[in-house]
Amino acid sequence: MKKDEYSFLELFGNIDDEYITQALQPWKRHNPMIKWMPVAACLVLVMIASILVPHFLRTATIAESKYKYHVSEKERAIEWPWKYKTPVEKYPVVKFNGKQFTAKSQNSIHTEVMGEIIGSCVAEGLDPDTGKTYTETFEVRKIKGISEELMIAVGNEDGFYVYAADEAAAPDTLGKLLELYELSQNIELNYVTKCEGYEEKEELLLDNDEKIWQILSDCGDAKLDDTSDFFERENRRYLDFTATSEALGVYNRVVYISEDGYFATNIFDYEYSYFIGKEAAGQIISYIQKHSTETKSSTSLPTISGTVTEIGNGYIMVDDTILCRKSKAGKKYKVYTDDIKVRRWIESGEVKAGDLVAVEYEGEISNDYEVKGAYSIFRGTLEENGILNQE
C-alpha cells in the first residue's frame, strides 16, 4: 500500500477514542435492547467511516493531482568562465602528503561530517578559456570515521569538498571495507528495490537498517570476489539499496544483496563484490520483507519548478502556477541565490525573467515560501505528467 493512500483501518483510527469507548460501554440497568447496542455502535462507526473515507481519499487525490505538468531538463552542462566556477570545478585534483586526491562530488559538505584540521595543500588549476594556470592554498580536514589515507575534505570559507585517494586498493574482506569507510554510519540503507534481472518489482521503505549492518558485520571475513569487474544482474534476484552519502561524496549509488549470497556496491570508483553466503543474504531479504512498507521512488530530489517572475538582489521569485491544474493552486517562492551554482545562472544572464526553471534545494521551505537551501538550478521545458515540485 502506498504512503499517501488510506486504508479503512487507518481512517477508523482517526475517530475519537472517547466516542468509541462510550459507544461500547455496557448499560448499568437491564434493558431488553442491550443485545442490539454493539450492533448499533458498529453501524454508527461504519456510517462515520463512510463519511470520512471519501473525504480523505478525495483530499489525497486533490493533493496528488495538483500538478498537471513538470519541468523537463533542457540544459545544465555549461563550461562556466573561471570566475563563476566553484573551487572543486577549478581544482578537481589536489596533492596532500605525497598522494594525489580527486574530487568525488560537485556538492560541498556540511561541517557535521568533518573532523579536525590535518594540514593544507596547494592546488593547481587551468583556465581553458585563457590557458592561464592558477594556484590556491586550501585547508585540509579529516572526514569523520574515514582515514585521511583514503579520503579528505578540502576547501576554505567558500565550502569544503570530498576528495578520494587515486590509488586506494580494494579491501580484501568485507569487514575491512565496512571499517575503513565506516559504512554503517555513513550510509543509510532505507530505500530498497526488489529486482529480478533488470526488472524492478517493488520499491520499499525500511524502518531501520541497524539489523542489516549487524548481519553484514557478522560476515566480516567475506572475501573480495576479484573474478568479475561488475555485479551481473541478468537472471538474478536481488535487493537494490539506494546509497547516498555526503561523507563519501556519492549520490544515488547502490548496494546489492543477491539471493545467491553476494554483497556488491558501486559507491567507490570501482565496483566491489563480496561473497557473504546464501544464509546471510537470506536473513537480510527476510528482514526486509518483514520490516518495510511499499513506497514511491527514492531518487527524486526536493525541487520547486515554475516561471521566474522576478530577479532581485540575492534572490529570484519562482511561480509554479503554470504547472497546476487550477491556477488558484499556484504559489510563488522566494529562492535565495547564495550558492554560486545558482547565482552564476542569474549573473551571467543564462536565466532571465520569464524562463521556466527547476530549483533543487535542501532543508525546508518556510511558511512564507522562502527557499534558503537552493544549490542547483536548470532551465527546462514544460511536459505533461510527473511531478518535480515538492513541498
Side-chain angles (χ1 to χ4, degrees):
M1 185 178 68
K2 296 181 179 178
K3 293 188 295 184
D4 55 351
E5 292 178 346
Y6 292 84
S7 70
F8 174 81
L9 291 178
E10 287 174 322
L11 295 170
F12 189 91
N14 286 320
I15 300 170
D16 195 317
D17 291 341
E18 179 182 352
Y19 299 138
I20 299 175
T21 301
Q22 291 178 3
L24 297 178
Q25 283 294 324
W27 287 26
K28 293 183 179 180
R29 61 189 179 88
H30 176 74
N31 190 308
M33 294 295 293
I34 194 171
K35 64 179 180 179
W36 298 107
M37 291 307 298
V39 177
C42 290
L43 288 174
V44 170
L45 295 176
V46 170
M47 289 174 65
I48 294 173
S50 68
I51 296 173
L52 290 175
V53 169
H55 168 73
F56 282 110
L57 290 178
R58 183 166 61 252
T59 301
T61 302
I62 291 172
E64 191 172 289
S65 62
K66 173 183 175 181
Y67 298 101
K68 183 178 180 180
Y69 302 97
H70 71 280
V71 174
S72 177
E73 181 177 349
K74 182 175 73 172
E75 184 177 23
R76 192 193 297 222
I78 293 178
E79 181 63 39
W80 294 99
W82 187 262
K83 69 175 182 177
Y84 287 133
K85 288 186 175 183
T86 65
V88 75
E89 290 169 337
K90 293 177 180 178
Y91 307 102
V93 175
V94 301
K95 288 186 178 180
F96 179 68
N97 285 348
K99 298 182 70 172
Q100 182 166 293
F101 292 77
T102 301
K104 287 282 291 181
S105 171
Q106 296 296 311
N107 295 326
S108 60
I109 61 176
H110 295 89
T111 57
E112 289 81 2
V113 303
M114 294 190 295
E116 68 274 13
I117 299 172
I118 55 176
S120 62
C121 66
V122 177
E124 185 175 286
L126 175 68
D127 182 351
D129 293 331
T130 64
K132 184 178 179 179
T133 299
Y134 293 85
T135 59
E136 192 168 345
T137 301
F138 291 99
E139 189 175 276
V140 179
R141 300 184 66 172
K142 184 177 177 62
I143 298 176
K144 290 181 179 178
I146 302 177
S147 168
E148 57 266 30
E149 295 294 315
L150 300 173
M151 287 183 169
I152 54 177
V154 177
N156 52 29
E157 65 275 6
D158 294 327
F160 280 78
Y161 300 84
V162 176
Y163 284 73
D166 288 353
E167 300 176 359
D172 58 359
T173 66
L174 179 59
K176 290 182 181 179
L177 180 75
L178 300 181
E179 181 181 355
L180 287 172
Y181 295 95
E182 204 165 320
L183 293 190
S184 63
Q185 301 301 314
N186 288 323
I187 291 180
E188 292 184 355
L189 301 179
N190 292 333
Y191 293 97
V192 57
T193 303
K194 294 174 65 176
C195 302
E196 292 184 14
Y198 295 99
E199 186 178 356
E200 297 181 353
K201 292 294 186 180
E202 189 177 15
E203 292 180 85
L204 301 169
L205 176 64
L206 180 64
D207 53 13
N208 190 313
D209 67 350
E210 186 175 345
K211 179 66 174 179
I212 305 299
W213 290 115
Q214 181 183 329
I215 296 172
L216 292 174
S217 178
D218 292 339
C219 301
D221 292 334
K223 301 295 183 182
L224 176 70
D225 178 14
D226 55 7
T227 61
S228 176
D229 294 331
F230 65 96
F231 178 78
E232 179 57 66
R233 292 182 290 165
E234 189 174 4
N235 300 321
R236 211 173 200 169
R237 291 196 290 188
Y238 57 93
L239 299 177
D240 177 339
F241 292 90
T242 299
T244 293
S245 172
E246 182 181 8
L248 298 177
V250 296
Y251 172 75
N252 267 1
R253 300 293 181 89
V254 293
V255 169
Y256 298 113
I257 300 293
S258 66
E259 210 174 59
D260 59 337
Y262 281 87
F263 165 98
T265 182
N266 67 353
I267 60 178
F268 305 100
D269 292 334
Y270 301 96
E271 194 163 277
Y272 299 158
S273 182
Y274 299 85
F275 181 69
I276 62 175
K278 291 184 178 180
E279 182 179 350
Q283 290 175 2
I284 293 174
I285 294 170
S286 176
Y287 182 81
I288 292 295
Q289 197 67 40
K290 295 176 181 177
H291 297 87
S292 61
T293 54
E294 188 177 351
T295 187
K296 292 182 178 179
S297 175
S298 63
T299 59
S300 60
L301 292 167
T303 309
I304 63 166
S305 308
T307 305
V308 177
T309 59
E310 179 187 345
I311 296 179
N313 184 18
Y315 71 90
I316 60 174
M317 298 298 298
V318 178
D319 186 344
D320 72 355
T321 302
I322 194 171
L323 306 178
C324 300
R325 295 180 181 276
K326 297 181 179 180
S327 59
K328 64 181 181 180
K331 292 183 176 66
K332 292 183 179 179
Y333 299 87
K334 187 174 185 179
V335 180
Y336 290 92
T337 57
D338 302 328
D339 193 303
I340 189 174
K341 296 194 296 297
V342 177
R343 188 172 68 250
R344 63 190 178 188
W345 284 81
I346 312 303
E347 292 182 356
S348 66
E350 291 290 341
V351 166
K352 301 177 288 293
D355 283 348
L356 196 62
V357 299
V359 179
E360 295 170 348
Y361 67 93
E362 60 181 4
E364 302 294 331
I365 297 177
S366 74
N367 294 333
D368 297 326
Y369 302 105
E370 292 186 338
V371 182
K372 296 184 177 180
Y375 62 85
S376 176
I377 187 172
F378 60 87
R379 294 196 307 256
T381 56
L382 200 64
E383 291 189 8
E384 195 166 358
N385 299 327
I387 300 174
L388 285 182
N389 193 318
Q390 300 179 10
E391 297 176 32

